Amino acid sequence: GVVYGRVESAPMRKFIESIRNRGKPALVNPANRLSLVQIEDLADLYLAILEADAPPPIINAVSEVLTWSYVAEAIAKSAGVSDQPDIIPPNDAMMLGGPAIYMPIDMSVSSDFARSTLGWKPSRPTFKESMEKSSEPPAASKEAAPNP
């Protein structure tokens, strides 16, 4: 999933910056979904993988699946810009960068395997809970994660 939390992944920061710079969100298909994972929950999963006797070669880390529309509108409201999105063609999403390049695709994946095989249980606030409690976008300009 796309990482959010105390500091944002580079893709999420780029998406937030594009909303701030445009003054509103831009979406391809508002109903498409995005998988998200909180950074500390992701760290817990990494530890579980490292401690596993037979770690799986590929695993999904998802604590929540939301529509692009919800994510973009929540970020816009927190940033103090219009939450009414422009609907753009898929090729234009590529120009926005960050996770926006995936907007034309429904990015819903499951972490059932991680939960059942490794006992992973995300416990931190979900993106939705974080946005409902915060008056600031998840990627506060005070602190930024290094580019991977």
Side-chain angles (χ1 to χ4, degrees):
V2 174
V3 179
Y4 70 92
R6 294 182 303 141
V7 294
E8 304 310 323
S9 62
M12 183 61 90
R13 276 198 329 270
K14 287 181 181 181
F15 185 56
I16 292 166
E17 288 169 11
S18 77
I19 292 172
R20 285 181 174 152
N21 292 339
R22 288 177 52 84
K24 62 169 45 178
L27 299 171
V28 173
N29 178 348
N32 277 352
R33 296 168 295 171
L34 178 65
S35 298
L36 299 141
V37 63
Q38 203 273 352
I39 193 166
E40 291 165 341
D41 284 330
L42 179 60
D44 290 344
L45 179 57
Y46 284 170
L47 288 174
I49 292 168
L50 291 171
E51 294 170 353
D53 291 332
I58 298 174
I59 197 153
N60 293 321
V62 178
S63 54
E64 178 178 38
V65 177
L66 297 170
T67 63
W68 276 101
S69 178
Y70 179 88
V71 172
E73 290 172 15
I75 291 169
K77 284 179 185 175
S78 292
V81 299
S82 172
D83 65 347
Q84 298 302 309
D86 286 332
I87 305 302
I88 61 173
N91 288 344
D92 288 359
M94 302 299 277
M95 303 301 283
L96 297 176
I101 64 172
Y102 303 113
M103 274 188 207
I105 305 165
D106 189 76
M107 297 293 295
S108 175
V109 295
S110 169
S111 62
D112 289 347
F113 183 78
R115 294 169 196 248
S116 65
T117 305
L118 300 171
W120 180 60
K121 293 181 179 125
S123 61
R124 287 13 175 255
T126 64
F127 180 86
K128 191 172 187 176
E129 291 167 345
S130 298
M131 294 305 293
E132 288 170 355
K133 292 179 186 174
S134 175
S135 61
E136 191 171 297
S141 56
K142 300 177 226 163
E143 188 174 8
N147 285 327

